[in-house]
Amino acid sequence: MLELKNITYRAGGRDIINNINLKIDEKFVAFTGPNGGGKSTLAKLISGIYTPTDGKIFFDGRDITDMSITDRARLGISYAFQQPVRFKGITVKDLVSVASGKSLSVGEVCDYLSEVGLCARDYVNREINASLSGGELKRIEIATILARGTELSIFDEPEAGIDLWSFNNLIAVFEKISREINGSIIIISHQERILNIADRIIVLSEGQVKDDGTKDEILPGLLRPAACPALTNKT
């Protein structure tokens, strides 16, 4: 379980995150809310990219507040960026193997690629470079997180910068993961279709939790245009 106690993060002379308290143990949790509300900052605090100014972060009862991103990764926390990193000279097989922490066979890598809807034989020996589209990179990144088998996986706007076909496939991937994962997923998103498969939706605005509940409790209010102008049902 992830627990945030009185988390505050100050930058540029203002509170980006202001005294947030949360306990998260559901399988699929979505952070949403207006742009600039603190969603990505909170995710980076959880993953260890940022360190809170005040407050404590606990993971499975252990205080990880001052742990590095590397140490948190060892504990089982993964973070997927909005724009996945490209690695010239590294193949998809290499990347998935590194993520898993062991040398994987071609067949094992192909299994992970198939999980995210990629035709394995077309990708296993491809380099992680500019020849791959945004949607392909997103799905390969998800495959690496599956290979790691982390207890908590965080995705920052996975729909950003991808085409409609890739987005539809991502939805299918996340639906599958949410059914099968042995752990929790946190996804930052404005997309109605992603929010609609979440077990819990947390609305962040001005660095604070403005609403928190099941999708049936929260989503109807978000779909009112005045409630969350950034929310969209298409990419």
Side-chain angles (χ1 to χ4, degrees):
M1 182 181 72
L2 178 71
E3 184 174 6
L4 310 181
K5 289 187 174 181
N6 306 115
I7 292 297
T8 295
Y9 179 72
R10 298 186 185 96
R14 68 186 185 93
D15 288 349
I16 309 300
I17 297 295
N18 186 5
N19 197 39
I20 283 182
N21 291 277
L22 286 172
K23 290 183 179 180
I24 295 174
D25 60 3
E26 293 84 358
K27 274 197 168 187
F28 196 135
V29 178
F31 289 172
T32 194
N35 292 329
K39 302 181 298 297
S40 292
T41 299
L42 187 59
K44 289 173 181 176
L45 287 165
I46 294 168
S47 64
I49 297 172
Y50 297 159
T51 301
T53 307
D54 293 300
K56 295 288 185 180
I57 302 174
F58 296 89
F59 184 59
D60 288 342
R62 182 173 181 175
D63 186 348
I64 64 170
T65 310
D66 297 318
M67 280 189 181
S68 68
I69 187 172
T70 302
D71 289 337
R72 294 187 202 201
R74 292 192 182 107
L75 284 180
I77 299 175
S78 296
Y79 181 85
F81 292 87
Q82 280 190 37
Q83 299 298 326
V85 179
R86 298 175 190 268
F87 301 93
K88 187 176 181 180
I90 296 179
T91 67
V92 172
K93 180 181 182 298
D94 293 336
L95 186 64
V96 177
S97 292
V98 168
S100 74
K102 59 185 178 181
S103 179
L104 297 178
S105 67
V106 171
E108 289 171 320
V109 174
C110 288
D111 287 341
Y112 287 119
L113 294 177
S114 297
E115 284 286 311
V116 297
L118 293 176
C119 181
R121 67 174 179 272
D122 294 337
Y123 289 93
V124 67
N125 292 315
R126 293 271 298 274
E127 285 191 16
I128 308 296
N129 57 26
S131 70
L132 294 168
S133 70
E136 289 169 328
L137 282 170
K138 289 284 177 67
R139 282 187 278 168
I140 290 168
E141 186 174 43
I142 295 169
T144 66
I145 289 176
L146 292 175
R148 284 196 61 207
T150 51
E151 186 177 341
L152 175 62
S153 304
I154 305 167
F155 297 88
D156 191 350
E157 295 194 30
E159 72 273 14
I162 65 172
D163 56 70
L164 181 59
W165 184 87
S166 295
F167 175 70
N168 289 337
N169 280 274
L170 278 178
I171 294 293
V173 169
F174 283 125
E175 287 176 331
K176 181 177 175 64
I177 292 174
S178 68
R179 292 193 301 267
E180 299 177 359
I181 192 172
N182 183 24
S184 297
I185 298 173
I186 294 174
I187 295 188
I188 300 167
S189 182
H190 296 131
Q191 289 287 345
E192 178 188 346
R193 288 179 60 192
I194 288 179
L195 300 182
N196 198 47
I197 59 175
D199 299 311
R200 177 181 177 188
I201 298 174
I202 297 170
V203 182
L204 296 169
S205 180
E206 299 177 337
Q208 296 181 309
V209 175
K210 297 298 184 182
D211 215 347
D212 182 0
T214 67
K215 66 180 179 184
D216 292 333
E217 293 169 336
I218 304 300
L219 195 53
L222 290 179
L223 295 177
R224 295 195 302 269
C228 185
L231 187 66
T232 180
N233 59 12
K234 61 183 179 180
T235 190

